[in-house]
Amino acid sequence: MDALQGTERFAVAQKITLMVNRYEIRAVDGNGQPAGLLAVAQQKRAAFKEQVTFYADESRKTPIFSFKARQRFDLGATYDVLDAAGAPIGSFRKDFGKSLLRSTWHLDAPGVQAVGSERSAGVAIARRLWELVPLTEALPAPFVFHFDFVDASGQVVMTSERGRSLRDRYDVTVPGARLDGRVAAAMAVALDALQDR
C-alpha cells in the first residue's frame, strides 16, 4: 500500500535542477511543517509527451505512480494517473476555455468527480496581467494562489494552497481522504508543472 493512500494532508515542494523539474512530497507534522518523505516526482523538461514519474525515494529506483498525457501538444490534454503497474487510477484535464480568465481543472478518480479552480478571481486576473509585462518571467511572481476542488454537491475534495517562499511550495489537503492520495499528489504537482500550458 502506497504511503499517500489515505493521507489527508501533505506538502509539495519544487526542487529546481538543470535538466528536470523535481518535486518532494512530504507528510505534514502536527505544526503544519513538512516531515517524512512520501515520494519524489520528476518531470523531464521539453519532453515530447508530458510525463511525470513519482518514486519512493531520492534514489529514483522504485517508481510508485505517474501521470502521462494521452496526446501531445494539446491545450486541453487529458492526463492519466497510473499506478506502479501502469493501471489507471484517475485522470485530470485543464478546461482551456474557462482557464483563460481563471484556471480550471476537471479531476476524476474512483468515486470522485470534481472541478478545481483558482480560489480568487482577482488574483487570477492579476497573474495574467503580470505575465503580459516583459521580463517578469525572470522574477518570482508576487501572487500567492490557491485551488479548491469541489464535487457536484459542493463538497471540497482537495485544496492546494501555495505558500510564500522563493521556491514553489504547496500545502495540500484531502478532507476525509476521499480522493486517492496518489491522484491528489499528481494533481498538486500538475498545478505547478503544467499551469502555464
Side-chain angles (χ1 to χ4, degrees), residues 64-123:
I64 51 178
F65 62 99
S66 64
F67 70 81
K68 183 177 184 177
R70 287 184 188 169
Q71 60 275 11
R72 42 192 153 157
F73 306 126
D74 183 355
L75 295 173
T78 297
Y79 296 84
D80 291 308
V81 184
L82 309 168
D83 68 12
I89 56 174
S91 66
F92 54 85
R93 68 178 172 81
K94 191 170 188 176
D95 188 321
F96 181 72
K98 288 184 179 178
S99 293
L100 291 174
L101 290 178
R102 191 174 187 178
S103 294
T104 302
W105 294 80
H106 297 270
L107 176 63
D108 293 298
V112 174
Q113 287 188 324
V115 176
S117 59
E118 289 178 86
R119 188 178 294 166
S120 168
V123 169

Short mmCIF file of all heavy atoms in Angstrom, two decimals, residues 64-123:
data_model
loop_
_atom_site.label_atom_id
_atom_site.label_comp_id
_atom_site.label_asym_id
_atom_site.label_seq_id
_atom_site.Cartn_x
_atom_site.Cartn_y
_atom_site.Cartn_z
N ILE A 64 6.46 4.54 -8.15
CA ILE A 64 5.27 4.11 -7.41
C ILE A 64 3.97 4.56 -8.09
O ILE A 64 2.93 3.95 -7.90
CB ILE A 64 5.31 4.55 -5.94
CG1 ILE A 64 5.61 6.05 -5.80
CG2 ILE A 64 6.35 3.73 -5.17
CD1 ILE A 64 5.61 6.57 -4.37
N PHE A 65 4.02 5.63 -8.89
CA PHE A 65 2.90 6.03 -9.73
C PHE A 65 3.39 7.12 -10.67
O PHE A 65 4.53 7.57 -10.57
CB PHE A 65 1.66 6.47 -8.92
CG PHE A 65 1.85 7.67 -8.05
CD1 PHE A 65 1.43 8.94 -8.45
CD2 PHE A 65 2.43 7.56 -6.78
CE1 PHE A 65 1.58 10.05 -7.64
CE2 PHE A 65 2.58 8.68 -5.97
CZ PHE A 65 2.16 9.92 -6.39
N SER A 66 2.52 7.54 -11.60
CA SER A 66 2.91 8.56 -12.57
C SER A 66 1.67 9.22 -13.15
O SER A 66 0.55 8.77 -12.92
CB SER A 66 3.72 7.92 -13.71
OG SER A 66 2.93 7.00 -14.42
N PHE A 67 1.88 10.30 -13.89
CA PHE A 67 0.82 10.80 -14.75
C PHE A 67 1.41 11.09 -16.11
O PHE A 67 2.58 11.43 -16.25
CB PHE A 67 0.04 11.97 -14.15
CG PHE A 67 0.77 13.29 -14.05
CD1 PHE A 67 0.90 14.14 -15.15
CD2 PHE A 67 1.28 13.72 -12.84
CE1 PHE A 67 1.52 15.37 -15.04
CE2 PHE A 67 1.91 14.96 -12.72
CZ PHE A 67 2.03 15.78 -13.83
N LYS A 68 0.55 10.89 -17.13
CA LYS A 68 1.03 10.98 -18.50
C LYS A 68 -0.07 11.53 -19.39
O LYS A 68 -1.24 11.15 -19.26
CB LYS A 68 1.43 9.58 -18.96
CG LYS A 68 2.01 9.49 -20.34
CD LYS A 68 2.42 8.06 -20.62
CE LYS A 68 3.11 7.95 -21.96
NZ LYS A 68 3.58 6.58 -22.21
N ALA A 69 0.30 12.42 -20.32
CA ALA A 69 -0.66 12.97 -21.28
C ALA A 69 -1.10 11.89 -22.25
O ALA A 69 -0.30 11.08 -22.70
CB ALA A 69 -0.04 14.13 -22.04
N ARG A 70 -2.39 11.88 -22.58
CA ARG A 70 -2.89 10.93 -23.56
C ARG A 70 -2.40 11.29 -24.96
O ARG A 70 -2.20 10.43 -25.79
CB ARG A 70 -4.42 10.90 -23.56
CG ARG A 70 -5.00 10.23 -22.36
CD ARG A 70 -6.51 10.16 -22.44
NE ARG A 70 -7.05 9.67 -21.19
CZ ARG A 70 -8.33 9.68 -20.88
NH1 ARG A 70 -9.22 10.17 -21.75
NH2 ARG A 70 -8.73 9.23 -19.72
N GLN A 71 -2.29 12.57 -25.22
CA GLN A 71 -1.83 13.03 -26.53
C GLN A 71 -0.84 14.16 -26.32
O GLN A 71 -0.75 14.73 -25.25
CB GLN A 71 -2.99 13.47 -27.42
CG GLN A 71 -3.83 14.61 -26.88
CD GLN A 71 -4.93 14.20 -25.92
OE1 GLN A 71 -4.99 13.06 -25.47
NE2 GLN A 71 -5.78 15.12 -25.57
N ARG A 72 -0.09 14.50 -27.35
CA ARG A 72 0.90 15.57 -27.22
C ARG A 72 0.40 16.85 -27.84
O ARG A 72 -0.45 16.84 -28.73
CB ARG A 72 2.23 15.14 -27.81
CG ARG A 72 2.09 14.43 -29.09
CD ARG A 72 3.37 13.78 -29.50
NE ARG A 72 2.98 12.63 -30.33
CZ ARG A 72 3.73 12.08 -31.20
NH1 ARG A 72 4.94 12.49 -31.40
NH2 ARG A 72 3.31 11.07 -31.91
N PHE A 73 0.94 17.95 -27.37
CA PHE A 73 0.65 19.28 -27.91
C PHE A 73 -0.85 19.58 -27.99
O PHE A 73 -1.36 19.97 -29.02
CB PHE A 73 1.29 19.46 -29.30
CG PHE A 73 2.75 19.18 -29.32
CD1 PHE A 73 3.27 18.27 -30.21
CD2 PHE A 73 3.61 19.80 -28.43
CE1 PHE A 73 4.64 18.01 -30.25
CE2 PHE A 73 4.98 19.55 -28.46
CZ PHE A 73 5.48 18.65 -29.38
N ASP A 74 -1.55 19.36 -26.90
CA ASP A 74 -2.98 19.64 -26.86
C ASP A 74 -3.25 20.52 -25.64
O ASP A 74 -2.96 20.13 -24.51
CB ASP A 74 -3.77 18.34 -26.76
CG ASP A 74 -5.28 18.54 -26.79
OD1 ASP A 74 -5.73 19.70 -26.80
OD2 ASP A 74 -6.00 17.53 -26.82
N LEU A 75 -3.81 21.73 -25.88
CA LEU A 75 -4.05 22.67 -24.78
C LEU A 75 -5.04 22.12 -23.76
O LEU A 75 -5.00 22.49 -22.60
CB LEU A 75 -4.54 24.00 -25.34
CG LEU A 75 -3.52 24.75 -26.21
CD1 LEU A 75 -4.17 25.97 -26.84
CD2 LEU A 75 -2.31 25.15 -25.40
N GLY A 76 -5.92 21.24 -24.18
CA GLY A 76 -6.89 20.64 -23.26
C GLY A 76 -6.61 19.17 -23.03
O GLY A 76 -7.54 18.38 -22.86
N ALA A 77 -5.34 18.79 -23.03
CA ALA A 77 -4.96 17.38 -22.92
C ALA A 77 -5.47 16.76 -21.63
O ALA A 77 -5.55 17.41 -20.59
CB ALA A 77 -3.44 17.23 -22.99
N THR A 78 -5.83 15.49 -21.73
CA THR A 78 -6.19 14.70 -20.55
C THR A 78 -4.95 13.96 -20.09
O THR A 78 -4.19 13.41 -20.91
CB THR A 78 -7.32 13.71 -20.88
OG1 THR A 78 -8.48 14.45 -21.26
CG2 THR A 78 -7.65 12.83 -19.68
N TYR A 79 -4.73 13.94 -18.78
CA TYR A 79 -3.60 13.25 -18.18
C TYR A 79 -4.14 12.08 -17.36
O TYR A 79 -5.04 12.27 -16.54
CB TYR A 79 -2.81 14.20 -17.28
CG TYR A 79 -2.19 15.33 -18.05
CD1 TYR A 79 -2.91 16.47 -18.35
CD2 TYR A 79 -0.87 15.24 -18.50
CE1 TYR A 79 -2.35 17.51 -19.08
CE2 TYR A 79 -0.30 16.27 -19.23
CZ TYR A 79 -1.04 17.41 -19.52
OH TYR A 79 -0.48 18.42 -20.25
N ASP A 80 -3.60 10.90 -17.61
CA ASP A 80 -3.99 9.72 -16.84
C ASP A 80 -3.01 9.53 -15.69
O ASP A 80 -1.79 9.63 -15.88
CB ASP A 80 -3.97 8.48 -17.72
CG ASP A 80 -5.09 8.50 -18.75
OD1 ASP A 80 -6.25 8.71 -18.35
OD2 ASP A 80 -4.80 8.32 -19.95
N VAL A 81 -3.54 9.26 -14.50
CA VAL A 81 -2.72 8.91 -13.34
C VAL A 81 -2.68 7.39 -13.30
O VAL A 81 -3.73 6.73 -13.32
CB VAL A 81 -3.31 9.49 -12.03
CG1 VAL A 81 -2.37 9.19 -10.86
CG2 VAL A 81 -3.54 10.99 -12.16
N LEU A 82 -1.47 6.84 -13.27
CA LEU A 82 -1.27 5.40 -13.37
C LEU A 82 -0.55 4.88 -12.12
O LEU A 82 0.35 5.54 -11.60
CB LEU A 82 -0.42 5.09 -14.60
CG LEU A 82 -0.90 5.72 -15.91
CD1 LEU A 82 0.15 5.58 -17.00
CD2 LEU A 82 -2.22 5.11 -16.34
N ASP A 83 -0.95 3.69 -11.66
CA ASP A 83 -0.26 3.11 -10.52
C ASP A 83 1.09 2.52 -10.97
O ASP A 83 1.46 2.63 -12.15
CB ASP A 83 -1.14 2.08 -9.80
CG ASP A 83 -1.41 0.82 -10.61
OD1 ASP A 83 -0.76 0.60 -11.66
OD2 ASP A 83 -2.29 0.03 -10.20
N ALA A 84 1.80 1.87 -10.08
CA ALA A 84 3.13 1.36 -10.38
C ALA A 84 3.11 0.34 -11.52
O ALA A 84 4.08 0.21 -12.26
CB ALA A 84 3.76 0.75 -9.13
N ALA A 85 1.99 -0.36 -11.68
CA ALA A 85 1.87 -1.38 -12.73
C ALA A 85 1.35 -0.79 -14.04
O ALA A 85 1.20 -1.50 -15.02
CB ALA A 85 0.95 -2.50 -12.26
N GLY A 86 1.06 0.52 -14.05
CA GLY A 86 0.55 1.16 -15.26
C GLY A 86 -0.96 1.14 -15.41
O GLY A 86 -1.49 1.54 -16.45
N ALA A 87 -1.67 0.70 -14.37
CA ALA A 87 -3.14 0.69 -14.41
C ALA A 87 -3.66 2.07 -14.04
O ALA A 87 -3.15 2.72 -13.13
CB ALA A 87 -3.68 -0.35 -13.44
N PRO A 88 -4.71 2.56 -14.73
CA PRO A 88 -5.24 3.89 -14.43
C PRO A 88 -5.95 3.95 -13.07
O PRO A 88 -6.69 3.03 -12.72
CB PRO A 88 -6.23 4.16 -15.57
CG PRO A 88 -6.52 2.83 -16.17
CD PRO A 88 -5.37 1.92 -15.85
N ILE A 89 -5.66 5.01 -12.31
CA ILE A 89 -6.32 5.22 -11.01
C ILE A 89 -7.01 6.57 -10.95
O ILE A 89 -7.63 6.92 -9.95
CB ILE A 89 -5.32 5.07 -9.84
CG1 ILE A 89 -4.12 6.04 -10.00
CG2 ILE A 89 -4.85 3.63 -9.70
CD1 ILE A 89 -3.17 6.05 -8.81
N GLY A 90 -6.93 7.35 -12.02
CA GLY A 90 -7.58 8.65 -12.08
C GLY A 90 -7.14 9.41 -13.31
O GLY A 90 -6.31 8.92 -14.09
N SER A 91 -7.71 10.59 -13.49
CA SER A 91 -7.31 11.44 -14.61
C SER A 91 -7.66 12.89 -14.28
O SER A 91 -8.45 13.16 -13.38
CB SER A 91 -8.00 11.01 -15.90
OG SER A 91 -9.40 11.23 -15.81
N PHE A 92 -7.05 13.80 -15.03
CA PHE A 92 -7.39 15.21 -14.90
C PHE A 92 -7.14 15.90 -16.24
O PHE A 92 -6.38 15.41 -17.08
CB PHE A 92 -6.60 15.88 -13.77
CG PHE A 92 -5.11 15.74 -13.86
CD1 PHE A 92 -4.34 16.62 -14.62
CD2 PHE A 92 -4.45 14.72 -13.16
CE1 PHE A 92 -2.97 16.49 -14.68
CE2 PHE A 92 -3.08 14.58 -13.23
CZ PHE A 92 -2.34 15.47 -14.00
N ARG A 93 -7.81 17.03 -16.44
CA ARG A 93 -7.60 17.82 -17.65
C ARG A 93 -7.90 19.27 -17.35
O ARG A 93 -8.73 19.60 -16.50
CB ARG A 93 -8.46 17.32 -18.80
CG ARG A 93 -9.94 17.54 -18.61
CD ARG A 93 -10.77 17.08 -19.81
NE ARG A 93 -12.18 17.13 -19.50
CZ ARG A 93 -12.92 18.23 -19.56
NH1 ARG A 93 -12.38 19.38 -19.94
NH2 ARG A 93 -14.20 18.19 -19.26
N LYS A 94 -7.20 20.13 -18.07
CA LYS A 94 -7.41 21.57 -17.93
C LYS A 94 -8.57 21.98 -18.82
O LYS A 94 -8.66 21.54 -19.97
CB LYS A 94 -6.14 22.33 -18.30
CG LYS A 94 -6.19 23.79 -17.94
CD LYS A 94 -4.83 24.43 -18.11
CE LYS A 94 -4.83 25.85 -17.55
NZ LYS A 94 -3.49 26.44 -17.62
N ASP A 95 -9.45 22.81 -18.29
CA ASP A 95 -10.55 23.37 -19.07
C ASP A 95 -10.00 24.64 -19.72
O ASP A 95 -9.95 25.70 -19.10
CB ASP A 95 -11.73 23.69 -18.16
CG ASP A 95 -12.98 24.09 -18.91
OD1 ASP A 95 -12.86 24.82 -19.92
OD2 ASP A 95 -14.08 23.68 -18.49
N PHE A 96 -9.56 24.52 -20.98
CA PHE A 96 -8.86 25.61 -21.64
C PHE A 96 -9.71 26.88 -21.72
O PHE A 96 -9.22 27.98 -21.43
CB PHE A 96 -8.40 25.18 -23.03
CG PHE A 96 -7.64 26.26 -23.75
CD1 PHE A 96 -6.35 26.60 -23.36
CD2 PHE A 96 -8.22 26.96 -24.79
CE1 PHE A 96 -5.65 27.61 -24.00
CE2 PHE A 96 -7.53 27.97 -25.44
CZ PHE A 96 -6.24 28.29 -25.04
N GLY A 97 -10.97 26.76 -22.08
CA GLY A 97 -11.84 27.94 -22.21
C GLY A 97 -11.99 28.71 -20.91
O GLY A 97 -11.77 29.93 -20.86
N LYS A 98 -12.36 28.02 -19.85
CA LYS A 98 -12.54 28.67 -18.55
C LYS A 98 -11.22 29.19 -17.98
O LYS A 98 -11.19 30.15 -17.23
CB LYS A 98 -13.19 27.72 -17.55
CG LYS A 98 -14.65 27.45 -17.84
CD LYS A 98 -15.27 26.58 -16.77
CE LYS A 98 -16.74 26.35 -17.07
NZ LYS A 98 -17.36 25.46 -16.09
N SER A 99 -10.11 28.53 -18.37
CA SER A 99 -8.81 28.90 -17.83
C SER A 99 -8.25 30.19 -18.41
O SER A 99 -7.25 30.69 -17.91
CB SER A 99 -7.82 27.76 -18.05
OG SER A 99 -8.20 26.63 -17.28
N LEU A 100 -8.89 30.72 -19.43
CA LEU A 100 -8.41 31.99 -19.98
C LEU A 100 -8.48 33.10 -18.93
O LEU A 100 -7.63 33.98 -18.90
CB LEU A 100 -9.21 32.38 -21.23
CG LEU A 100 -8.96 31.47 -22.45
CD1 LEU A 100 -9.91 31.84 -23.58
CD2 LEU A 100 -7.51 31.55 -22.90
N LEU A 101 -9.50 33.05 -18.07
CA LEU A 101 -9.65 34.06 -17.01
C LEU A 101 -9.31 33.51 -15.63
O LEU A 101 -8.81 34.24 -14.77
CB LEU A 101 -11.06 34.63 -17.00
CG LEU A 101 -11.42 35.52 -18.19
CD1 LEU A 101 -12.87 35.99 -18.09
CD2 LEU A 101 -10.49 36.73 -18.25
N ARG A 102 -9.62 32.24 -15.40
CA ARG A 102 -9.43 31.64 -14.07
C ARG A 102 -9.12 30.16 -14.27
O ARG A 102 -9.99 29.41 -14.72
CB ARG A 102 -10.70 31.83 -13.27
CG ARG A 102 -10.60 31.51 -11.82
CD ARG A 102 -11.93 31.88 -11.15
NE ARG A 102 -11.89 31.76 -9.74
CZ ARG A 102 -12.90 32.06 -8.94
NH1 ARG A 102 -14.01 32.55 -9.47
NH2 ARG A 102 -12.80 31.91 -7.66
N SER A 103 -7.91 29.75 -13.99
CA SER A 103 -7.50 28.37 -14.25
C SER A 103 -8.48 27.38 -13.64
O SER A 103 -8.83 27.48 -12.47
CB SER A 103 -6.10 28.12 -13.71
OG SER A 103 -5.16 28.89 -14.43
N THR A 104 -8.91 26.42 -14.47
CA THR A 104 -9.92 25.45 -14.06
C THR A 104 -9.50 24.06 -14.55
O THR A 104 -9.08 23.90 -15.69
CB THR A 104 -11.30 25.82 -14.65
OG1 THR A 104 -11.65 27.13 -14.19
CG2 THR A 104 -12.37 24.83 -14.21
N TRP A 105 -9.63 23.08 -13.66
CA TRP A 105 -9.26 21.70 -13.96
C TRP A 105 -10.42 20.76 -13.61
O TRP A 105 -11.16 21.03 -12.67
CB TRP A 105 -8.04 21.28 -13.15
CG TRP A 105 -6.79 22.01 -13.50
CD1 TRP A 105 -6.43 23.27 -13.10
CD2 TRP A 105 -5.73 21.55 -14.33
NE1 TRP A 105 -5.21 23.61 -13.63
CE2 TRP A 105 -4.76 22.57 -14.38
CE3 TRP A 105 -5.50 20.36 -15.02
CZ2 TRP A 105 -3.57 22.43 -15.11
CZ3 TRP A 105 -4.31 20.23 -15.73
CH2 TRP A 105 -3.38 21.25 -15.77
N HIS A 106 -10.54 19.67 -14.36
CA HIS A 106 -11.51 18.61 -14.07
C HIS A 106 -10.71 17.40 -13.58
O HIS A 106 -9.71 17.02 -14.20
CB HIS A 106 -12.31 18.25 -15.32
CG HIS A 106 -13.13 19.38 -15.83
ND1 HIS A 106 -14.43 19.59 -15.41
CD2 HIS A 106 -12.85 20.39 -16.67
CE1 HIS A 106 -14.90 20.68 -15.99
NE2 HIS A 106 -13.96 21.19 -16.77
N LEU A 107 -11.16 16.82 -12.48
CA LEU A 107 -10.44 15.73 -11.82
C LEU A 107 -11.39 14.55 -11.64
O LEU A 107 -12.52 14.72 -11.14
CB LEU A 107 -9.94 16.22 -10.45
CG LEU A 107 -9.24 15.24 -9.53
CD1 LEU A 107 -7.95 14.73 -10.16
CD2 LEU A 107 -8.94 15.91 -8.20
N ASP A 108 -10.97 13.37 -12.08
CA ASP A 108 -11.78 12.15 -11.96
C ASP A 108 -10.96 11.04 -11.32
O ASP A 108 -9.79 10.83 -11.69
CB ASP A 108 -12.25 11.68 -13.34
CG ASP A 108 -13.25 12.64 -13.98
OD1 ASP A 108 -14.32 12.83 -13.39
OD2 ASP A 108 -12.93 13.19 -15.05
N ALA A 109 -11.59 10.32 -10.41
CA ALA A 109 -10.99 9.16 -9.75
C ALA A 109 -12.14 8.29 -9.27
O ALA A 109 -13.29 8.75 -9.23
CB ALA A 109 -10.11 9.59 -8.58
N PRO A 110 -11.90 7.04 -8.92
CA PRO A 110 -12.99 6.19 -8.45
C PRO A 110 -13.79 6.86 -7.32
O PRO A 110 -13.23 7.25 -6.29
CB PRO A 110 -12.28 4.93 -7.96
CG PRO A 110 -11.05 4.87 -8.81
CD PRO A 110 -10.63 6.31 -8.98
N GLY A 111 -15.08 7.05 -7.54
CA GLY A 111 -15.97 7.66 -6.55
C GLY A 111 -15.87 9.16 -6.42
O GLY A 111 -16.54 9.76 -5.59
N VAL A 112 -15.04 9.81 -7.26
CA VAL A 112 -14.84 11.26 -7.15
C VAL A 112 -14.82 11.89 -8.54
O VAL A 112 -14.08 11.46 -9.42
CB VAL A 112 -13.52 11.60 -6.43
CG1 VAL A 112 -13.25 13.09 -6.44
CG2 VAL A 112 -13.50 11.06 -5.01
N GLN A 113 -15.65 12.91 -8.72
CA GLN A 113 -15.58 13.79 -9.88
C GLN A 113 -15.62 15.20 -9.32
O GLN A 113 -16.55 15.56 -8.59
CB GLN A 113 -16.75 13.57 -10.83
CG GLN A 113 -16.66 12.29 -11.62
CD GLN A 113 -17.72 12.20 -12.69
OE1 GLN A 113 -18.83 12.65 -12.50
NE2 GLN A 113 -17.36 11.62 -13.83
N ALA A 114 -14.60 15.99 -9.65
CA ALA A 114 -14.51 17.32 -9.06
C ALA A 114 -13.99 18.32 -10.09
O ALA A 114 -13.34 17.95 -11.06
CB ALA A 114 -13.58 17.30 -7.85
N VAL A 115 -14.32 19.58 -9.84
CA VAL A 115 -13.81 20.68 -10.66
C VAL A 115 -13.02 21.58 -9.72
O VAL A 115 -13.49 21.94 -8.63
CB VAL A 115 -14.96 21.47 -11.33
CG1 VAL A 115 -14.41 22.67 -12.08
CG2 VAL A 115 -15.75 20.56 -12.27
N GLY A 116 -11.81 21.93 -10.14
CA GLY A 116 -10.97 22.79 -9.33
C GLY A 116 -10.66 24.07 -10.06
O GLY A 116 -10.40 24.06 -11.27
N SER A 117 -10.69 25.17 -9.33
CA SER A 117 -10.34 26.46 -9.94
C SER A 117 -9.63 27.32 -8.92
O SER A 117 -9.65 27.06 -7.71
CB SER A 117 -11.59 27.17 -10.47
OG SER A 117 -12.51 27.39 -9.43
N GLU A 118 -8.98 28.37 -9.43
CA GLU A 118 -8.29 29.31 -8.55
C GLU A 118 -9.31 29.92 -7.60
O GLU A 118 -10.39 30.33 -8.00
CB GLU A 118 -7.61 30.40 -9.37
CG GLU A 118 -6.42 29.90 -10.16
CD GLU A 118 -5.79 30.98 -11.00
OE1 GLU A 118 -4.94 31.73 -10.48
OE2 GLU A 118 -6.15 31.08 -12.19
N ARG A 119 -8.95 29.97 -6.34
CA ARG A 119 -9.86 30.46 -5.31
C ARG A 119 -10.23 31.91 -5.52
O ARG A 119 -11.38 32.29 -5.35
CB ARG A 119 -9.20 30.27 -3.94
CG ARG A 119 -10.11 30.57 -2.77
CD ARG A 119 -9.40 30.31 -1.46
NE ARG A 119 -9.12 28.88 -1.29
CZ ARG A 119 -8.29 28.40 -0.38
NH1 ARG A 119 -7.64 29.22 0.44
NH2 ARG A 119 -8.08 27.12 -0.28
N SER A 120 -9.27 32.73 -5.91
CA SER A 120 -9.52 34.17 -6.05
C SER A 120 -9.51 34.58 -7.52
O SER A 120 -8.48 34.48 -8.20
CB SER A 120 -8.45 34.96 -5.29
OG SER A 120 -8.51 36.33 -5.63
N ALA A 121 -10.65 35.09 -8.00
CA ALA A 121 -10.72 35.59 -9.37
C ALA A 121 -9.81 36.80 -9.54
O ALA A 121 -9.18 36.98 -10.59
CB ALA A 121 -12.17 35.94 -9.73
N GLY A 122 -9.70 37.64 -8.51
CA GLY A 122 -8.84 38.82 -8.57
C GLY A 122 -7.37 38.46 -8.76
O GLY A 122 -6.67 39.05 -9.57
N VAL A 123 -6.91 37.47 -7.99
CA VAL A 123 -5.52 37.02 -8.12
C VAL A 123 -5.31 36.39 -9.50
O VAL A 123 -4.27 36.60 -10.14
CB VAL A 123 -5.14 36.04 -6.99
CG1 VAL A 123 -3.80 35.37 -7.26
CG2 VAL A 123 -5.10 36.76 -5.65
#
